[in-house]
Amino acid sequence: MPHFRTTLVLATLALGSAVWLAGCRCGRSAPGAVGKAATAMDAIPADVDAVIVIDAEGLRQGSLGEFIYTPWVVRQFEQWGGPQCAALPARLVSKAAFGIRLAAGGQQVEEVFFGADGPTIDDVKACVDEHARRQGLSSSFEEVAGLRDLTDGRGLHVLAAGDHVVARGFPFNDRGVLEQMANTASGKIPALSGNTAFLDLLQRLGGDVTVALSETTELFAGYGRDLDAAVAKSIPPELCATPTEFALLLTMARAQGLGELSGLEQFAKARLAGKEKMCLAELVSQAFGTFGSIRAAGITLTGRADIELGLMLEFVDAVPATEVRGVLADLIYVLQVLPERLDSLERDWPAAYAWLQKQLDIPRLRNMLRNPVFKHITVGGDGTAVDLRIRVEEADVQAAIESTVETLTHLVAKD
């Protein structure tokens, strides 16, 4: 019997060693480890082309929470998977971040990396299971590059990137994207949290929802060329002016109370220098060519009470930035005073008003210009930066949203 007991002990040890070498998960409730990521940006690779950061705690407050976040995000989650899913945007997520990698040429999205601060993998599992039960399915855990992964078996994968960070990638079924996030969360490849160019841009933008694009000169140059080609088709080639004629147009505009227009004057003078005339199509083309001078850009949205939308452009040098600031300042003033000036134009210049009626839908233009979005617009910045800010007062938020949606719907239907 002693010999038998010795043999049994040795056999048990051998079996245990074999199981261990084969990857035993003894003592673990789920396969895979939890990543080292402390924030969502620790789970996103550093070399992305664009970043979207969402402060969910800020979005849940004030106007944005009432008119945008709750109806368009929280309720959509609830419809998808019930109360457990609605709890994620309603109270569990504190911050979320997307990293976007563009395909060669910058015209298409290739990969999207997503991370969220606040919920745990178990919080997400409760949501996934609630949705899956409706279709007779359930979720399970597996490993992706050594990290714990939750899957519903149909392409949905969520990584436990940290104790309170979850991450996932798009396209849904591309495990290569998940593996990149797993390696980032494990510290094997650099994370977005260490990308100083993006961090500086995000800090300057601020806001509850921030979109930032850094070092993307060729991307903006490409969009400028595309816009130029699209707009050029709609500009009559005969719309041209000599320096004298342009000066006369500015004088007439000033007489109608459209402002000093010094920014537009300086822009046109620079383009007309040494030329007998310039056509509008050429002027627009050169304006869109300015896109090639944009080195970085960002959009930010904040709404604790009033809503503020900001656009920041960072140019390669100060010359195009100065031009853009001047032109934008003039256009903003024109937009703000144009409703009243249309009335005086109809009274004092009936021939010009009749011509304008043939070119534009005047009633729709009047309605669009009454959008509260145009009440408070400012342009600032210095050096190479242009900073455009639009503020909508809390009492005007609902009207601004409805008017904007109506205008966008009309534009989409028209195109």
Side-chain angles (χ1 to χ4, degrees):
M1 289 297 292
H3 176 71
F4 174 76
R5 284 196 299 271
T6 302
T7 303
L8 182 60
V9 170
L10 292 174
T12 302
L13 290 174
L15 178 61
S17 299
V19 171
W20 178 263
L21 290 172
C24 174
R25 306 191 197 284
C26 305
R28 286 197 287 177
S29 60
V34 174
K36 300 177 181 178
T39 70
M41 295 178 72
D42 292 328
I44 296 173
D47 60 343
V48 293
D49 300 301
V51 174
I52 303 173
V53 177
I54 300 169
D55 183 344
E57 291 182 341
L59 281 180
R60 286 192 283 261
Q61 302 176 33
S63 299
L64 285 180
E66 180 180 355
F67 296 111
I68 296 177
Y69 194 65
T70 296
W72 293 0
V73 180
V74 176
R75 288 176 190 167
Q76 290 301 314
F77 267 76
E78 186 171 23
Q79 289 176 13
W80 188 78
Q84 295 284 2
C85 292
L88 295 175
R91 59 182 176 83
L92 292 173
V93 174
S94 57
K95 184 170 287 188
F98 293 85
I100 301 169
R101 185 173 291 149
L102 302 174
Q107 299 296 311
Q108 293 182 333
V109 173
E110 185 175 74
E111 297 171 333
V112 178
F113 308 91
F114 170 74
D117 297 349
T120 66
I121 198 75
D122 291 327
D123 294 324
V124 177
K125 187 177 189 304
C127 166
V128 172
D129 284 345
E130 190 166 351
H131 173 72
R133 274 195 299 270
R134 301 178 178 187
Q135 303 183 31
L137 300 171
S138 63
S139 65
S140 61
F141 288 112
E142 60 181 21
E143 279 191 22
V144 171
L147 291 195
R148 187 171 305 150
D149 170 57
L150 172 73
T151 179
D152 67 353
R154 297 172 299 170
L156 175 69
H157 293 269
V158 182
L159 288 173
D163 288 336
H164 292 281
V165 177
V166 296
R168 65 157 304 153
F170 304 84
F172 294 133
N173 295 313
D174 191 339
R175 287 179 64 89
V177 179
L178 286 167
E179 288 171 0
Q180 290 179 66
M181 300 190 78
N183 288 328
T184 304
S186 300
K188 297 175 183 176
I189 62 176
L192 183 59
S193 55
N195 187 318
T196 54
F198 268 123
L199 294 181
D200 174 63
L201 193 55
L202 291 167
Q203 184 176 11
R204 284 191 289 158
L205 284 162
D208 294 326
V209 179
T210 309
V211 182
L213 297 96
S214 177
E215 303 298 339
T216 50
T217 304
E218 181 52 39
L219 170 65
F220 285 109
Y223 275 110
R225 289 190 293 269
D226 290 345
L227 286 170
D228 181 15
V231 173
K233 300 175 183 176
S234 63
I235 299 177
E238 67 274 9
L239 285 181
C240 305
T242 65
T244 302
E245 290 170 336
F246 185 79
L248 180 60
L249 286 171
L250 284 176
T251 300
M252 292 173 61
R254 287 165 179 152
Q256 288 299 310
L258 297 180
E260 289 301 312
L261 304 175
S262 57
L264 282 169
E265 183 177 33
Q266 291 302 317
F267 177 76
K269 278 184 176 180
R271 300 303 184 276
L272 282 163
K275 296 183 178 181
E276 292 183 3
K277 68 175 182 178
M278 173 168 278
C279 298
L280 182 59
E282 185 182 357
L283 197 64
V284 170
S285 179
Q286 292 191 11
F288 283 131
T290 306
F291 278 64
S293 303
I294 300 174
R295 182 186 63 78
I299 299 174
T300 183
L301 180 67
T302 303
R304 308 301 169 93
D306 297 347
I307 286 182
E308 183 177 273
L309 176 68
L311 168 66
M312 190 177 74
L313 301 175
E314 185 74 41
F315 288 83
V316 175
D317 60 69
V319 173
T322 302
E323 283 188 341
V324 170
R325 284 196 298 268
V327 171
L328 280 177
D330 287 346
L331 293 177
I332 288 166
Y333 185 80
V334 169
L335 284 172
Q336 290 173 333
V337 301
L338 193 54
E340 294 178 10
R341 300 303 178 263
L342 283 172
D343 294 335
S344 61
L345 184 66
E346 184 178 14
R347 183 184 65 248
D348 301 333
W349 300 79
Y353 187 82
W355 177 86
L356 194 62
Q357 279 184 310
K358 295 178 182 178
Q359 312 303 317
L360 299 170
D361 184 343
I362 299 293
R364 184 172 292 277
L365 176 62
R366 288 181 187 274
N367 188 55
M368 184 189 76
L369 291 173
R370 292 192 187 101
N371 190 329
V373 163
F374 297 117
K375 275 187 180 180
H376 308 287
I377 308 180
T378 57
V379 60
D382 52 27
T384 59
V386 176
D387 193 356
L388 178 71
R389 298 281 167 165
I390 300 172
R391 181 173 60 85
V392 180
E393 295 174 351
E394 187 174 11
D396 292 331
V397 170
Q398 188 166 3
I401 292 173
E402 291 172 355
S403 179
T404 302
V405 170
E406 180 185 347
T407 300
L408 292 175
T409 302
H410 171 72
L411 291 174
V412 170
K414 184 177 178 181
D415 293 339

